[in-house]
Amino acid sequence: MLVALRIDNFAIVETVELEFETGLTALTGETGAGKSLVVDALLLALGERAGADAIRVGAEQAQVTAVFDVGAVPAAQAWLADNELDAGDECVLRRTVRADGRSRSFVNGRPVAAGLLRELGQRLVDIHGQHAYQALLRPAAQRALLDRFADAATLLTEVAAAFDAWQGAARAIEDADRNAAGRAERVQLLRFQADEFATLALGADEWPQVDAELRRAGHAQALAEGGAAALQALDDDSAGAYRLLTQAAGQLQRIVGYDARLAEPLALLDGTLAQVADASSALRHYLDALDVDPARLQWLEARVAAVMALARKHQVAADALPGVQAAVEAELAALDDAGPGRAALDQALRAAWQRYAAAAARLTAVREVAAQRLAEIVSDTIGGLGMPGARLAVALTPLAAGEASAHGAERVEFLIQANTGDAARPLAQVASGGELSRVSLAIQAATLAQGDIPTLIFDEVDVGIGGAVAETVGRLLRGLGGERQVLCITHLPQVAAQAHQHLRVSKQSDAARTVTAVEHLPAAARVDELARMLGGVSITERTRAHAAEMLAAAQV
């Protein structure tokens, strides 16, 4: 619950320190005194946006500090622990806004982002403004109110998770179908390529051999002519190298006996003669075997052309084709085995839908019970709010096939029967603004009692009512205050009289400045304030007596 609030230099507030108790607290004051500034300041401490215009004129910065007791608020305690911001049962929120528009946020003295402050604030305070009833016209808001009344948060989480799982299974099938189409195209291409490789049947070491053989066959004439010329140079009878070397060796043989040093060149010549003879013999054999079969040459040319064409298609060198073939065959085998079968995906989709349908059915059953109970409670309440004969109905309409939702299997709609015998119709079609605000208050009173947020703030939700209805509203809020801490900004004495404590907001001016002050009213001062609210400018003893009687009756 909210324990204390300090406001410094906010709007026209210079410095205000407030302490709050359990039960219902009324904030009253003249129109324009700044009653809503207290709520606005608290909103700032809870992380809401604020600009430089929130700073009091002449001040450098505005600052709001809110102190909460979270000892009985498990959701807030868990959040603080998860974010390593816990400091026992007391939680201090502080927010500053500078003249340049920048702000800083703190939780228990530690700086945090404003977004985190808002997350925590949602677990501490629930604020309902004078136009909150307008949200009641939205189907999503009606569904949320029913679910809060039904205490269905756990079921909602289960349904949403099951819905997400079902949607995920459906997306998996879509992805599989999309991938299957792409995979089929890829498999078709790979199989075509594999067939091309199989038709070519290129051996792992074939290309270097075929390439070399074709080069030889293509230059057969040059090889024959060159080989023959070389043989003639070596073995010509009249001027060949062999004959000349033989003559040189003969000359040395004739004179080697005169000088032993000629033995070495003679031996070298003998060796050279042997090598020349071997080379001549090898050339004769080469020339004898050099004849090229035209059919073989044609086959070689066709073979090389086929290899080069496939290499160009795959944009690789010819000697890399065996590796490309292996890669094609490996990918084809992998694609043939890739991904879960469609039957398995269909089975997973059916199982996911069954889990969703079961969770949604449990939520529907809880909603049906809660809808009847909420309708009865609200109908009883609005009867005392000046709408005799009015009845609330909560309709649950099953969604059509294919309209499954993360929020459940039905639409939730609040219907109102304005008078006995009338047909129940949607709220927006039959309720006036005043009626709608009373229905909204009754629904809020019924649903908020089911929640776990410790502090509820009502900002002039009693606009447009008065008399006995206003007194009923006051008792309604006082009843809420028996279970939760309730702060209510009101202009109605019937409501203010029901409060457990009373704060008065006033505006004070002098020649230099205007400031807003807030004071806690003891019993005597409460009578004066209620008398002011009853009688306006002229307060008589009779008005004061009426105020005292009203206060005494409310406190029984």
Side-chain angles (χ1 to χ4, degrees):
M1 60 169 279
L2 179 63
V3 176
L5 182 68
R6 179 184 172 96
I7 308 170
D8 293 297
N9 298 319
F10 180 78
I12 60 172
V13 177
E14 185 174 29
T15 297
V16 166
E17 291 189 55
L18 302 174
E19 293 184 357
F20 297 91
E21 301 173 3
T22 57
L24 172 61
T25 297
L27 285 87
T28 65
E30 295 280 3
T31 299
K35 297 185 293 296
S36 292
L37 287 179
V38 175
V39 175
D40 293 340
L42 181 57
L43 283 171
L44 180 65
L46 295 173
E48 293 301 320
R49 297 182 181 276
D53 57 348
I55 303 173
R56 188 175 64 85
V57 175
E60 294 183 357
Q61 70 172 26
Q63 179 170 282
V64 181
T65 303
V67 181
F68 290 85
D69 182 351
V70 296
V73 191
Q77 288 180 325
W79 187 94
L80 288 166
D82 290 343
N83 289 275
E84 300 181 350
L85 294 168
D86 52 321
D89 290 345
E90 185 177 83
C91 178
V92 180
L93 311 184
R94 180 163 58 91
R95 185 88 178 279
T96 62
V97 180
R98 293 173 45 180
D100 60 7
R102 289 186 292 180
S103 67
R104 299 186 67 192
S105 307
F106 302 85
V107 175
N108 291 327
R110 281 165 278 186
V112 298
L116 285 179
L117 202 59
R118 284 193 292 273
E119 287 184 16
L120 176 58
Q122 291 169 1
R123 292 162 172 79
L124 297 173
V125 177
D126 200 346
I127 298 179
H128 299 266
Q130 57 180 301
H131 301 298
Y133 64 84
Q134 295 173 349
L136 189 60
L137 301 179
R138 298 197 300 267
Q142 295 177 6
R143 184 187 65 240
L145 285 168
L146 175 63
D147 289 337
R148 179 162 62 180
F149 181 78
D151 195 18
T154 300
L155 263 178
L156 282 169
T157 300
E158 183 180 345
V159 169
F163 179 81
D164 287 345
W166 174 61
Q167 291 291 87
R171 285 193 298 272
I173 288 181
E174 292 176 359
D175 291 344
D177 289 345
R178 191 162 47 247
N179 292 339
R183 185 165 57 244
E185 293 178 1
R186 182 64 177 168
V187 166
Q188 184 178 9
L189 173 62
L190 290 172
R191 283 180 178 156
F192 176 78
Q193 292 175 341
D195 289 344
E196 284 187 316
F197 279 111
T199 300
L200 183 64
L202 182 65
D205 300 322
E206 180 185 351
W207 169 251
Q209 299 171 6
V210 169
D211 185 44
E213 185 178 355
L214 179 61
R215 282 199 299 271
R216 289 194 302 271
H219 297 83
Q221 183 175 351
L223 291 173
E225 291 175 354
L231 180 60
Q232 183 177 5
L234 289 176
D235 201 25
D236 183 77
D237 290 340
S238 60
Y242 189 84
R243 179 177 178 80
L244 295 175
L245 288 171
T246 301
Q247 291 176 354
Q251 292 294 334
L252 291 178
Q253 184 67 41
R254 185 173 60 81
I255 61 176
V256 70
Y258 303 128
D259 189 345
R261 288 178 297 177
L262 294 175
E264 181 179 355
L266 179 59
L268 292 173
L269 280 173
D270 289 342
T272 301
L273 282 168
Q275 290 178 340
V276 169
D278 291 341
S280 298
S281 177
L283 280 172
R284 289 190 188 90
H285 285 95
Y286 173 79
L287 292 171
D288 291 341
L290 191 59
D291 290 339
V292 177
D293 181 0
R296 177 66 178 176
L297 177 59
Q298 186 178 7
W299 179 88
L300 287 171
E301 290 174 341
R303 183 65 170 165
V304 168
V307 172
M308 293 301 296
L310 192 57
R312 283 193 299 272
K313 182 178 290 188
H314 289 277
Q315 298 181 341
V316 297
D319 57 2
L321 282 176
V324 175
Q325 181 180 3
V328 166
E329 293 171 349
E331 184 180 357
L332 184 59
L335 286 176
D336 285 340
D337 297 333
R342 178 58 187 267
L345 291 174
D346 288 340
Q347 183 179 359
L349 180 65
R350 287 192 296 270
W353 169 256
Q354 289 170 358
R355 287 191 294 271
Y356 167 76
R362 290 192 294 272
L363 178 60
T364 299
V366 169
R367 281 175 171 170
E368 288 173 345
V369 174
Q372 183 176 354
R373 188 157 51 92
L374 177 62
E376 292 173 355
I377 293 174
V378 173
S379 296
D380 291 343
T381 302
I382 59 178
L385 293 177
M387 298 176 65
R391 305 289 297 176
L392 179 78
V394 181
L396 303 180
T397 306
L399 296 174
E403 292 185 1
S405 163
H407 304 293
E410 57 276 324
R411 291 187 182 89
V412 177
E413 185 175 28
F414 288 179
L415 308 175
I416 190 74
Q417 179 186 20
N419 302 288
T420 302
D422 289 349
R425 299 170 63 188
L427 282 177
Q429 296 182 15
V430 297
S432 67
E435 290 173 333
L436 193 56
S437 66
R438 279 174 274 174
V439 173
S440 173
L441 183 59
I443 293 174
Q444 290 171 8
T447 56
L448 289 173
Q450 305 299 118
D452 57 1
I453 298 177
T455 300
L456 310 177
I457 297 179
F458 294 88
D459 186 1
E460 297 192 18
V461 294
D462 49 15
V463 171
I465 62 175
V469 173
E471 184 176 348
T472 302
V473 170
R475 288 199 300 267
L476 189 64
L477 294 174
R478 185 179 177 88
L480 275 177
E483 302 176 15
R484 319 270 278 286
Q485 183 186 42
V486 178
L487 279 63
C488 179
I489 297 174
T490 182
H491 66 285
L492 295 178
Q494 298 93 329
V495 173
Q498 297 289 334
H500 297 94
Q501 68 169 337
H502 193 151
L503 301 177
R504 181 173 61 197
V505 181
S506 60
K507 185 186 294 184
Q508 302 171 0
S509 302
D510 56 27
R513 60 179 183 167
T514 298
V515 297
T516 290
V518 184
E519 60 182 320
H520 182 278
L521 298 181
R526 288 191 69 181
V527 172
D528 291 339
E529 176 65 5
L530 292 176
R532 179 197 65 76
M533 298 172 74
L534 283 166
V537 176
S538 178
I539 300 176
T540 65
E541 287 302 321
R542 179 176 295 180
T543 305
R544 189 173 280 106
H546 184 192
E549 181 182 358
M550 181 183 294
L551 183 61
Q555 304 303 313
V556 175

